[in-house]
Amino acid sequence: MDFSTAQPKPATALCGVVSADGKIAYPPGVKEITDKITTDEMIKRLKMVVKTFMDMDQDSEDEKQQYLPLALHLASEFFLRNPNKDVRLLVACCLADIFRIYAPEAPYTSHDKLKDIFLFITRQLKGLEDTKSPQFNRYFYLLENLAWVKSYNICFELEDCNEIFIQLFRTLFSVINNSHNKKVQMHMLDLMSSIIMEGDGVTQELLDSILINLIPAHKNLNKQSFDLAKVLLKRTVQTIEACIANFFNQVLVLGRSSVSDLSEHVFDLIQELFAIDPHLLLSVMPQLEFKLKSNDGEERLAVVRLLAKLFGSKDSDLATQNRPLWQCFLGRFNDIHVPVRLESVKFASHCLMNHPDLAKDLTEYLKVRSHDPEEAIRHDVIVTIITAAKRDLALVNDQLLGFVRERTLDKRWRVRKEAMMGLAQLYKKYCLHGEAGKEAAEKVSWIKDKLLHIYYQNSIDDKLLVEKIFAQYLVPHNLETEERMKCLYYLYASLDPNAVKALNEMWKCQNMLRSHVRELLDLHKQPTSEANCSAMFGKLMTIAKNLPDPGKAQDFVKKFNQVLGDDEKLRSQLELLISPTCSCKQADVCVCTSKIDE
C-alpha cells in the first residue's frame, strides 16, 4: 500500500503506547537508545532496529502497535538533528519503513513534525551521490523504499508541502551522475512523477527545479540531470503541459518576467522542450504566433530565431502540424526590420536541406528577397540556395537556381561574385564530376554559358573572376594535360555561340597581357635611359588597367617592377610563366617558389 490517497489521521490512543514498565519497547536484543550511549553503540543498536522494521509488513498488527512508541521516538529532534551521518542514515531508513508499514496512516499527526521528517529524509538522499561509499546500498534502499511506497504523497495535505517537494527535486537532480545505474534513475523518476501526477498541480518554483536542468549552461555541466529531467517531462507530459503553458503565457503574453528566475531563458527552454516532446508545447505555439506580430523588432527577431530552429530541425513536422504558425513565420521574410529578414533567409537553407517538401512555400519568399534593397540579404539568398544545391541538387528547383542566375548581374560586386562562384561550384560538382548523374548535369548545363557571357561586362573584376572560374572550375588547371584537353574539348564543343566568342575574347586578352609583360621584361634587359623609363612607365600603366582597382594597382605594379629590376631569379621565373610552352605544373612551381623567396 502507498500514500497516493492517504491523509494524516488524528492521533489515537495508540500514540502513547509504551511497554508495560512505561518504557519504549525495543526489538529483542536491542537496549535503550538514548544520548547516554556512545555513537558506535548507537549505530550498532540502530542497525538492529532497521532490520526489525525492514522485516515487518503491513499485516503485522501486533508489532505495529508494539513498536509505535519507538516509531515516535525515532522522529524526535535527538535523531533528526544528530551530527553523525551514519546515525541519520539509519534513522531515515527506519522512518521510510515506518511509513511503509503504517500506510495509509502515518504515525505522526503533527504537520510540523511531518515536514521536519520529510526534509530530514530528503537531506539524507544527498548520500546517493557517492556510489563508491560503503553506505551506498543503504542510501539506495532508502530511495527504493520511498519510491515504491510513494511516501512523499502524504505531504500533499501539508500547507507548505511545496517546500519539501522543491527540496526533494533539487536534491535528486543535483546527485544524479554517470556512475548511477538505470535502477537509481528509475526510482528517482517514480518518486518525482508520482508527486507531479497525483498532486493538485505543479507550482512555478517546482517547475523551475525541473526546467533549470534544460538550460544550456546547466545541461553542459550535468548531462545526467538533463536526461533525468527529459524523461520526467516525457512521462508526465499530460499533467505538466498545462503548467508549462501557464509559465510561458505569464512571460510571453503578459510580460510578467518576475514569475520565474528562468524568464530570461524562455526561448532556450522552448527549443529544448520541443526537442523532448512537442506535446509539451501544444498551448505555447499560439503564444509564439502572437509574439511574431510584436511591435518590437528585436522581440520578433528572437522569436524568428527560435522558430527557425523548430521548423528547420530534421525530425520536425511543425510546419505541417501548425500551418497558421508556419504562414505567420513566412510573413517575417517581408519584415520591415532588416535583421529579421536576414534571419529568415538564413533559415531557408536548413529548411531546404531538412524539409524539401517546403521548398514550394519558400520559393516565392526567396524570390522577393533576392531583390531586397539590402545587399547582405541578396547575398544570403544566394548562399542559402547554393548551400542546399551543393548538398543535393534535387533540393532546389529551377526557379531557385534562376534567382542565383539573376544575381550574377547584381549592381553590387560582392553579390555578383557570390552568385558566380556558387554557380561555378555547382557546374564542377554536377557537370564536370557528374556526381548526381546525367539528369543533374543537364539541369545545370546552362551555367558554363552564363558564366562566360559575363566576360562581356565592363567591370574588370567580372572579367578576372571569369578567368579564375575558367581555370579552377570549367577547365581545372590541376588536371593532367590529357584530361584538361578533353575537358576543354567537350566544353568548347557544347558552348553556345556567344559563349564561344567570350572564350575567344578571354584568350585574346590574356595573350595581350602576356605580350605586355614580355615587353616589360625586354625593357629591363636594355640599358637605363629616359626613353626606357618612359616606355616602362607606359607599359606598367597598361598592365595595371588589367588588374582589379586600377588606381591602387598602379602603385603595386610600380613596386613590383622595382623588385623585378633587382631580382634576376624573379625575372627568369616570370619569363617562364609567360612562355607559350609553360605547363600548369611549371607555373605552379614558379608561383610557389616566388612566394617562398618573399
Side-chain angles (χ1 to χ4, degrees):
M1 183 177 288
D2 59 43
F3 285 98
S4 302
T5 57
Q7 298 182 8
K9 294 190 175 182
T12 66
L14 292 177
C15 295
V17 171
V18 293
S19 58
D21 57 1
K23 294 183 180 180
I24 296 172
Y26 289 90
V30 180
K31 295 181 180 180
E32 187 178 10
I33 304 174
T34 68
D35 58 354
K36 306 298 182 184
I37 60 176
T38 65
T39 300
D40 289 341
E41 182 61 27
M42 188 182 299
I43 291 172
K44 179 181 176 182
R45 297 180 189 184
L46 280 172
K47 285 181 178 179
M48 297 175 69
V49 174
V50 167
K51 181 68 169 62
T52 299
F53 282 123
M54 191 183 296
D55 293 340
M56 286 176 62
D57 57 43
Q58 291 177 316
D59 297 328
S60 308
E61 293 299 333
D62 292 341
E63 288 182 307
K64 284 166 65 175
Q65 185 163 330
Q66 178 186 355
Y67 293 126
L68 183 55
L70 177 58
L72 297 173
H73 178 53
L74 289 170
S76 66
E77 289 296 303
F78 170 70
F79 292 109
L80 300 186
R81 306 296 176 189
N82 196 285
N84 187 276
K85 67 177 183 178
D86 291 332
V87 170
R88 295 196 304 271
L89 172 59
L90 292 168
V91 170
C93 290
C94 286
L95 292 172
D97 271 317
I98 288 168
F99 282 115
R100 172 183 60 81
I101 296 163
Y102 289 89
E105 299 178 28
Y108 315 104
T109 57
S110 165
H111 283 193
D112 289 340
K113 177 56 69 176
L114 277 172
K115 179 182 176 181
D116 287 344
I117 291 172
F118 279 102
L119 287 175
F120 166 77
I121 292 174
T122 301
R123 289 193 294 271
Q124 309 323 305
L125 290 173
K126 291 180 181 178
L128 287 165
E129 189 169 22
D130 184 8
T131 56
K132 295 180 180 179
S133 165
Q135 300 295 335
F136 178 75
N137 286 340
R138 205 176 287 282
Y139 283 113
F140 177 77
Y141 173 79
L142 174 62
L143 172 68
E144 183 180 44
N145 203 348
L146 294 168
W148 183 70
V149 181
K150 300 182 182 179
S151 303
Y152 277 84
N153 288 22
I154 198 174
C155 298
F156 289 141
E157 299 303 319
L158 306 182
E159 288 184 6
D160 47 1
C161 63
N162 199 50
E163 181 184 343
I164 299 170
F165 296 151
I166 292 168
Q167 194 60 44
L168 173 65
F169 278 46
R170 287 176 178 171
T171 298
L172 296 181
F173 281 119
S174 68
V175 300
I176 186 75
N177 58 67
N178 58 11
S179 64
H180 288 138
N181 58 29
K182 291 292 183 182
K183 286 185 178 180
V184 173
Q185 187 188 58
M186 180 188 70
H187 291 318
M188 288 182 176
L189 288 169
D190 289 343
L191 198 52
M192 291 189 286
S193 61
S194 69
I195 291 171
I196 292 173
M197 293 191 290
E198 298 179 28
D200 292 332
V202 177
T203 65
Q204 185 58 52
E205 201 172 355
L206 185 59
L207 181 62
D208 284 355
S209 70
I210 303 171
L211 297 183
I212 194 172
N213 299 286
L214 307 184
I215 294 173
H218 287 263
K219 176 181 174 181
N220 296 334
L221 283 175
N222 190 344
K223 186 180 182 300
Q224 285 68 40
S225 65
F226 168 78
D227 291 338
L228 185 63
K230 177 180 174 180
V231 179
L232 178 63
L233 289 164
K234 274 179 170 288
R235 183 184 288 194
T236 60
V237 60
Q238 297 298 326
T239 305
I240 209 168
E241 187 269 332
C243 307
I244 290 173
N246 179 63
F247 164 52
F248 287 117
N249 183 64
Q250 292 285 324
V251 178
L252 295 176
V253 179
L254 301 179
R256 297 174 181 169
S257 57
S258 60
V259 299
S260 167
D261 292 336
L262 303 182
S263 296
E264 61 183 285
H265 302 287
V266 285
F267 293 138
D268 285 333
L269 289 173
I270 290 174
Q271 185 182 346
E272 291 293 348
L273 289 169
F274 183 81
I276 291 170
D277 189 339
H279 292 96
L280 289 164
L281 299 172
L282 284 177
S283 303
V284 177
M285 290 306 168
Q287 298 170 9
L288 293 178
E289 186 175 340
F290 169 78
K291 297 300 280 185
L292 275 176
K293 300 173 183 177
S294 168
N295 292 327
D296 185 339
E298 290 303 314
E299 198 166 57
R300 294 197 305 278
L301 177 61
V303 180
V304 164
R305 283 175 175 158
L306 168 65
L307 287 175
K309 294 172 183 175
L310 303 191
F311 283 122
S313 60
K314 195 163 186 179
D315 299 322
S316 172
D317 60 354
L318 182 60
T320 53
Q321 293 295 322
N322 197 327
R323 294 299 293 180
L325 182 61
W326 171 241
Q327 291 300 325
C328 187
F329 175 77
L330 289 176
R332 294 308 96 208
F333 275 81
N334 300 326
D335 198 281
I336 193 172
H337 195 43
V338 172
V340 174
R341 299 202 303 275
L342 193 59
E343 197 67 36
S344 300
V345 167
K346 288 179 178 178
F347 147 79
S349 178
H350 298 289
C351 191
L352 286 171
M353 289 188 283
N354 292 335
H355 303 284
D357 53 307
L358 298 177
K360 186 177 179 181
D361 290 344
L362 292 170
T363 299
E364 283 305 310
Y365 290 94
L366 287 174
K367 178 181 180 180
V368 176
R369 294 285 61 81
S370 69
H371 295 90
D372 196 282
E374 289 291 328
E375 174 187 338
I377 293 177
R378 299 196 304 276
H379 174 273
D380 276 18
V381 168
I382 296 165
V383 173
T384 288
I385 297 171
I386 294 298
T387 301
K390 285 197 290 188
R391 170 75 69 85
D392 184 349
L393 192 60
L395 297 175
V396 298
N397 52 44
D398 290 336
Q399 273 186 286
L400 292 173
L401 289 175
F403 302 157
V404 180
R405 179 176 183 157
E406 288 178 8
R407 290 306 98 205
T408 59
L409 301 177
D410 196 275
K411 60 185 178 182
R412 295 291 185 181
W413 164 240
R414 177 176 174 236
V415 179
R416 296 198 306 274
K417 180 181 178 182
E418 191 66 42
M420 292 165 67
M421 290 297 290
L423 290 176
Q425 290 164 10
L426 295 184
Y427 177 83
K428 185 176 183 180
K429 181 180 178 73
Y430 296 113
C431 286
L432 211 57
H433 294 165
E435 291 188 14
K438 187 177 180 181
E439 187 176 340
E442 290 178 355
K443 185 175 180 178
V444 294
S445 60
W446 54 269
I447 288 178
K448 61 185 185 301
D449 298 304
K450 176 60 183 174
L451 292 174
L452 287 169
H453 290 169
I454 295 170
Y455 203 77
Y456 288 115
Q457 296 298 311
N458 293 327
S459 167
I460 187 65
D461 291 312
D462 291 286
K463 292 178 183 292
L464 292 175
L465 184 57
V466 172
E467 292 182 10
K468 178 180 179 180
I469 286 172
F470 179 84
Q472 289 188 354
Y473 298 99
L474 302 186
V475 184
H477 65 86
N478 54 359
L479 293 177
E480 292 297 328
T481 302
E482 186 176 345
E483 286 300 312
R484 285 184 67 238
M485 288 305 98
K486 283 183 181 179
C487 187
L488 177 60
Y489 174 80
Y490 287 120
L491 174 73
Y492 203 84
S494 59
L495 290 175
D496 66 30
N498 289 328
V500 170
K501 289 179 182 178
L503 184 56
N504 289 335
E505 180 65 19
M506 183 185 79
W507 285 333
K508 178 182 175 183
C509 291
Q510 289 177 333
N511 191 50
M512 286 179 61
L513 183 59
R514 289 192 191 94
S515 296
H516 291 315
V517 175
R518 189 177 297 109
E519 290 169 7
L520 177 66
L521 289 170
D522 289 341
L523 288 171
H524 274 285
K525 296 175 183 177
Q526 298 175 12
T528 303
S529 67
E530 188 175 335
N532 181 278
C533 290
S534 178
M536 194 175 288
F537 179 79
K539 196 58 63 181
L540 291 175
M541 294 303 101
T542 302
I543 293 171
K545 290 178 182 178
N546 291 275
L547 299 174
D549 196 349
K552 289 183 179 179
Q554 289 179 10
D555 294 332
F556 292 133
V557 170
K558 287 178 185 177
K559 291 178 182 177
F560 174 72
N561 189 53
Q562 291 175 359
V563 175
L564 198 61
D566 299 332
D567 192 332
E568 185 178 347
K569 183 179 180 182
L570 184 60
R571 291 199 299 273
S572 64
Q573 289 173 339
L574 191 55
E575 290 226 20
L576 177 59
L577 274 172
I578 61 174
S579 168
T581 60
C582 181
S583 68
C584 288
K585 286 186 177 180
Q586 286 177 311
D588 282 339
V589 171
C590 284
V591 173
C592 290
T593 303
S594 298
K595 288 181 178 178
I596 292 171
D597 290 343
E598 289 174 8

